[in-house]
Amino acid sequence: MSFIRDCDGITRRDFVRVGGLTALGLSLGEMLKLRAAAADSSTGSPPVKARSCILIWLDGGPSHLETFDLKPHAPAEVRGPFQPISTAVPGTQICELMPNTARLIDKVALIRSVTSPLGEHNFGAHYLLTGYRPTPVVEYPSYGSVVAHIRSSAAEANSTTTSILPRHIAVPNFRVGGGRMAGQGYLPNSTRPFSVGGDPGKPDFRVRDLDYYSGLDQARLDRRRKFSAVLDNFSRDVESAFEAPHDPQFEQAYRLITSADAKQAFDLSSEPQQVRQRYGGRTVGQSCLLARRLIERGVPFVTVNNPGWDTHLHFRPLYRRSGGPDWDS
């Protein structure tokens, strides 16, 4: 996965800095505006803009002492249980269980200084996913919803056609941080992450609500859509002081259910078996494969959520019983 650029020319390091910037009163939105202004005033070539981003969220997460920061010279009670190996970048070592990643480390922005002043998983998840400390006053949007909002606003400004696929998709769901985050925060519901729902690692994987319910067909769905439009028009006539918005979630569901292209985007069975095997048969591997398919079809932000990683005790025996030589095979 490339770590060069993310949303609208912002580097991944910039996103990491957001947590510190907000403490100084500079929000993510303000940072994006400053970046855009800097690009406009620059006499040099414009920054390269990435089209998409995949966030692989390992809820709980593997310890840095067992992956990218083994601290081999630290005391035995501090350092990780595994041995370090050299990588493609001289002087940089990572865990012996990640030889494939070691060969590609020159394409990775490895950050070993990330920390959190919040000593609780869910608070830390909110901090990392939004750049703001959690507060009972307001729920901040995650990065994926911010990207979805920016892309949606840009599409409306340019009068482009509405995309069939949602701009922020969560695979298999967005139950990060204990499932207490809605994702979109104070942004419109249209930026809420679309949860796939099913398990891509299972042979009978299907996207929830992507097919017609029993007894519902195209004709009935069209009638419901017309009925919804009539209600919207009635609401606008009654409350003329403002323009009542249409139902974006219904429109999105309608486009997904009636689109053959949308169904094809989620169809993992169309991938060659050799490719599916390279990603591994477990949920997280097949979720990453699905994320790649969605990105290739124009979805700007996909969150792959893998819950329940935490391993606090007996880590080395647990690994040995698994029988696998590498974590990144």
Side-chain angles (χ1 to χ4, degrees):
M1 178 178 176
S2 175
F3 289 81
I4 300 174
R5 294 278 174 183
D6 282 321
C7 167
D8 289 340
I10 304 301
T11 65
R12 292 180 67 85
R13 288 189 177 89
D14 287 333
F15 270 106
V16 173
R17 290 195 194 103
V18 171
L21 290 175
T22 52
L24 301 175
L26 183 60
S27 69
L28 175 60
E30 290 168 333
M31 187 179 74
L32 291 171
K33 291 178 182 178
L34 289 174
R35 285 290 189 184
D40 291 340
S41 61
S42 174
T43 56
S45 57
V48 178
K49 293 184 178 181
R51 294 179 302 231
S52 52
C53 176
I54 298 175
L55 170 63
I56 302 176
W57 182 261
L58 305 177
D59 217 9
S63 169
H64 62 293
L65 294 174
E66 296 147 359
T67 51
F68 294 102
D69 191 13
L70 278 68
K71 302 188 184 300
H73 304 298
E77 60 272 17
V78 174
R79 64 176 182 263
F82 302 114
Q83 297 300 313
I85 58 173
S86 298
T87 67
V89 176
T92 300
Q93 295 180 318
I94 62 175
C95 179
E96 61 182 318
L97 305 182
M98 306 171 70
N100 292 335
T101 303
R103 288 191 287 270
L104 300 172
I105 204 68
D106 58 326
K107 297 178 174 60
V108 173
L110 181 57
I111 304 171
R112 288 171 167 166
S113 57
V114 176
T115 185
S116 171
L118 309 174
E120 201 271 339
H121 277 305
N122 298 331
F123 292 161
H126 183 282
Y127 202 2
L128 280 171
L129 285 169
T130 67
Y132 291 88
R133 295 191 183 205
T135 168
V137 178
V138 62
E139 182 178 350
Y140 294 101
S142 65
Y143 297 131
S145 292
V146 173
V147 171
H149 185 60
I150 293 174
R151 290 293 178 89
S152 177
S153 301
E156 291 176 3
N158 296 328
S159 300
T160 58
T161 325
T162 303
S163 172
I164 294 175
L165 293 171
R167 290 182 172 86
H168 182 196
I169 298 180
V171 186
N173 54 51
F174 195 74
R175 294 186 58 80
V176 300
R180 299 178 185 177
M181 291 185 61
Q184 85 276 14
Y186 53 74
L187 292 177
N189 284 334
S190 58
T191 66
R192 185 185 183 94
F194 173 82
S195 292
V196 170
D199 184 350
K202 294 184 177 179
D204 58 349
F205 165 63
R206 299 177 71 87
V207 178
R208 183 183 58 196
D209 300 334
L210 192 60
D211 296 313
Y212 295 114
Y213 283 105
S214 177
L216 182 65
D217 56 18
Q218 175 82 49
R220 291 189 63 186
L221 190 61
D222 286 339
R223 288 199 300 271
R224 292 187 182 186
R225 190 187 190 198
K226 292 177 181 178
F227 181 69
S228 177
V230 170
L231 288 179
D232 282 343
N233 291 332
F234 176 77
S235 178
R236 280 194 291 268
D237 292 339
V238 172
E239 302 180 27
S240 57
F242 69 96
E243 183 177 347
H246 70 288
D247 187 345
Q249 292 177 314
F250 179 84
E251 287 297 322
Q252 181 183 87
Y254 177 85
R255 292 194 303 270
L256 287 173
I257 291 175
T258 58
S259 169
D261 291 338
K263 292 180 174 61
Q264 175 63 25
F266 292 100
D267 184 13
L268 286 178
S269 64
S270 62
E271 289 285 341
Q273 192 60 30
Q274 184 179 6
V275 173
R276 298 198 67 175
Q277 290 175 352
R278 289 187 61 190
Y279 279 80
R282 297 183 180 181
T283 301
V284 63
Q286 294 301 299
S287 295
C288 289
L289 175 57
L290 178 57
R292 191 211 76 192
R293 289 179 58 84
L294 295 171
I295 289 295
E296 289 174 344
R297 286 158 177 80
V299 177
F301 203 102
V302 179
T303 299
V304 173
N305 178 33
N306 183 48
W309 183 290
D310 274 1
T311 305
H312 293 275
L313 298 173
H314 310 299
F315 185 79
R316 187 190 290 266
L318 181 66
Y319 160 73
R320 285 178 174 170
R321 285 199 300 271
S322 71
D326 305 331
W327 281 359
D328 60 355
S329 58

